Amino acid sequence: MTTLTEGYQITWEKLPDDYKLPDDPGDNLNQPALAAALTESLQLTGKISVNALTPTNYGICATLNGRMVIKAPDWTYIPNIRVEREEVKRSYTPQLQGEMPVIVMEFVSDIPLLSLSGRAIARSLMRQSIQAILLEKNRSCICY
């Protein structure tokens, strides 16, 4: 599948099996707890379907002007994948393997979170806004 956007050619190609992904840790040590809490909150409230994908620090792939581009946001919500989960174990290619991500998050903070519960923070700060977002019919662009 190819998309033309004013000087850019975007194709949706699967990451080659032999492509070496970096294995260095993320820059925010608290991010995994926040991402897990967000996913768990949505699961407990029944807002995530069986075919949804909520990856964290996970390669999302596209090819831009012939060059493979991989982004790994802190947390992403993909409402529906069309392939077996085993096929998206390493990375995910929108359009080819399922829908486009409708929420992409990068967590930022100016306070140390080491003494705070990531789950409590995620639940108290994000629950209502995320639930409202997932209920929206038009999910093409969400900005924070």
Side-chain angles (χ1 to χ4, degrees):
M1 172 178 266
T2 302
T3 305
L4 292 176
T5 306
E6 218 174 301
Y8 296 104
Q9 181 180 10
I10 303 168
T11 56
W12 307 101
E13 300 169 23
K14 187 177 173 196
L15 185 70
D17 290 336
D18 62 349
Y19 193 95
K20 177 84 170 118
L21 291 169
D23 58 1
D24 55 329
D27 56 352
N28 182 343
L29 298 177
N30 299 298
Q31 175 274 322
L34 289 169
L38 178 56
T39 297
E40 181 183 37
S41 296
L42 294 170
Q43 287 171 335
L44 291 173
T45 58
K47 302 295 182 193
I48 296 180
S49 73
V50 175
N51 292 330
L53 188 63
T54 56
T56 178
N57 286 332
Y58 184 83
I60 298 184
C61 309
T63 304
L64 178 62
N65 294 335
R67 192 180 110 234
M68 178 65 72
V69 177
I70 304 166
K71 297 294 180 180
D74 289 341
W75 190 86
T76 305
Y77 174 73
I78 301 160
N80 186 43
I81 61 171
R82 294 185 295 268
V83 296
E84 298 294 323
R85 289 207 180 265
E86 186 64 28
E87 190 176 324
V88 292
K89 190 173 184 179
R90 289 182 69 221
S91 64
Y92 177 75
T93 304
Q95 306 291 11
L96 181 66
Q97 295 174 309
E99 295 180 13
M100 296 291 286
V102 295
I103 302 173
V104 177
M105 290 186 177
E106 286 291 332
F107 299 117
V108 295
S109 175
D110 63 351
I111 60 168
L113 297 176
L114 295 176
S115 63
L116 302 175
S117 164
R119 288 182 181 197
I121 291 169
R123 285 184 182 131
S124 65
L125 297 178
M126 294 186 232
R127 181 184 295 143
Q128 291 179 355
S129 62
I130 295 301
Q131 288 176 351
I133 290 167
L134 294 177
L135 292 174
E136 289 289 325
K137 290 183 180 179
N138 183 356
R139 299 175 291 177
S140 61
C141 181
I142 298 169
C143 302
Y144 285 90

